[in-house]
Amino acid sequence: MKTIFNKIGLILLALVLTVNITSCKSVQNANNKQKGGAIGAAGGALLGALLVTTLVKVVMENLELLLVVLLAVALVYLLVTKWTNKLNKLKTKFLALKWNV
């Protein structure tokens, strides 16, 4: 119930702000490029807010899984770099050997 009131309040606030902004003389005197830029900026801000909200919700719901995946990636990275260093040292030693055939 509380979330419904919050959504209604946000919609009413957006409506009031829209009416206030569009009734300004400067908006009525703006050319189409300026209006398009303002609409694009507002639309981008809204889309960005929705995406971030959704992403945060998904991450928080799957935080445990995300931590396991991050730990697994870190472990694989450490193992690969460790073995790469060891292989490089062996390669250097092998190439340094003098073969008496």
Side-chain angles (χ1 to χ4, degrees):
M1 191 70 166
K2 186 177 181 182
T3 57
I4 293 172
F5 286 130
N6 285 344
K7 288 180 182 179
I8 291 172
L10 285 174
I11 291 170
L12 288 175
L13 178 64
L15 183 63
V16 168
L17 288 174
T18 303
V19 169
N20 283 336
I21 290 173
T22 56
S23 65
C24 288
K25 288 280 187 192
S26 61
V27 173
Q28 293 171 356
N29 294 334
N31 64 27
N32 286 340
K33 282 185 180 179
Q34 293 168 334
K35 289 178 185 176
I39 292 170
L46 180 64
L47 185 62
L50 290 173
L51 286 174
V52 167
T53 303
T54 305
L55 182 65
V56 166
K57 183 178 177 184
V58 168
V59 167
M60 294 308 284
E61 288 175 355
N62 301 312
L63 190 59
E64 200 172 288
L65 177 64
L66 180 66
L67 290 175
V68 169
V69 170
L70 287 175
L71 286 173
V73 168
L75 181 63
V76 168
Y77 173 76
L78 290 174
L79 289 174
V80 166
T81 54
K82 180 180 178 181
W83 282 104
T84 303
N85 290 338
K86 282 188 177 185
L87 288 174
N88 284 336
K89 287 178 184 176
L90 285 173
K91 179 179 147 187
T92 305
K93 286 181 181 178
F94 181 76
L95 292 176
L97 290 176
K98 297 195 182 205
W99 297 94
N100 294 327
V101 180

